[in-house]
Amino acid sequence: EAQVTQNPRYLITVTGKKLTVTCSQNMNHEYMSWYRQDPGLGLRQIYYSMNVEVTDKGDVPEGYKVSRKEKRNFPLILESPSPNQTSLYFCASSSRTGARLTEAFFGQGTRLTVV
Amino acid sequence: SQQGEEDPQALSIQEGENATMNCSYKTSINNLQWYRQNSGRGLVHLILIRSNEREKHSGRLRVTLDTSKKSSSLLITASRAADTASYFCATEPRRAGNQFYFGTGTSLTVIP
């Protein structure tokens, strides 16, 4: 079954304690991305990756890091989480047709609370 | 921001009625997509319409695209209680390709 898997689904952590949210896709997609979803603000892109070892900042990259060492995995790293990073996070992957993206497949989300 | 904007923010209708929601965006695009999100869950792709297309159908869904007005609409016909969800449009801008920009969503409630 084609899917994007995020872990964990729920996470409560304290300010400053480094954490990693994992994301894995089994569709051999080149393109992967991370979003955060906040009430009234919709989905905002944090980082995206066009392929292995290629990552770029989205609209709200501050306080986050990513890596793309393998095609299937795209972890999101919060080196020193702060309360304003409390949010619902989604990982997504897409294939490309030429220079254009096709439909995005989303993970089930990670609800992060930073206290 | 290149983020799109859906209208209305919330919509409540009776089962069997049609639901129409609109999306406006700011820049030229390669394509526009509509997604559905059940409460707190991941988004699910509904339909993609390319910039050179004006209308597309998929089951009970009908999407239109007017690039001159930079707007799109999603029509759900004969709505069902199971259609209750939030609906988002996402654009891939032509200038800044390789990124999706999502709107803020329309929350649809279908009353049985």
Side-chain angles (χ1 to χ4, degrees), chain A residues 12 16-17 20 33 48 50 53 67 77 80 85 100-101 107:
Chain A
I12 300 175
K17 185 176 181 182
T20 299
S33 58
Y48 64 97
M50 298 288 293
E53 301 294 359
S67 69
I77 303 155
S80 182
Q85 292 178 297
R100 299 181 178 184
L101 295 171

Side-chain angles (χ1 to χ4, degrees), chain A residues 31 35 37 40-45 48 50 58-59 88 90 94 96 99-104 106-108 111, chain B residues 1 3 30-31 33 35 37 40-45 48 50-51 88 92 94 97-104:
Chain A
Y31 184 90
Y35 299 87
Q37 184 176 27
L41 297 177
L43 278 84
R44 294 178 293 167
Q45 192 174 51
Y48 64 97
M50 298 288 293
D59 289 331
L88 180 57
F90 289 101
S94 305
R96 292 164 67 193
R100 299 181 178 184
L101 295 171
T102 61
E103 66 175 283
F106 280 80
Q108 286 302 298
R111 189 167 292 280
Chain B
S1 168
Q3 193 175 41
N30 286 329
N31 64 60
Q33 305 183 40
Y35 289 81
Q37 182 183 34
R41 301 184 68 84
L43 280 73
V44 175
H45 181 262
L48 180 154
R50 302 207 181 278
S51 59
F88 294 85
E92 183 192 357
R94 186 165 298 160
N98 302 312
Q99 286 186 261
F100 288 118
Y101 287 90
F102 284 83
T104 50

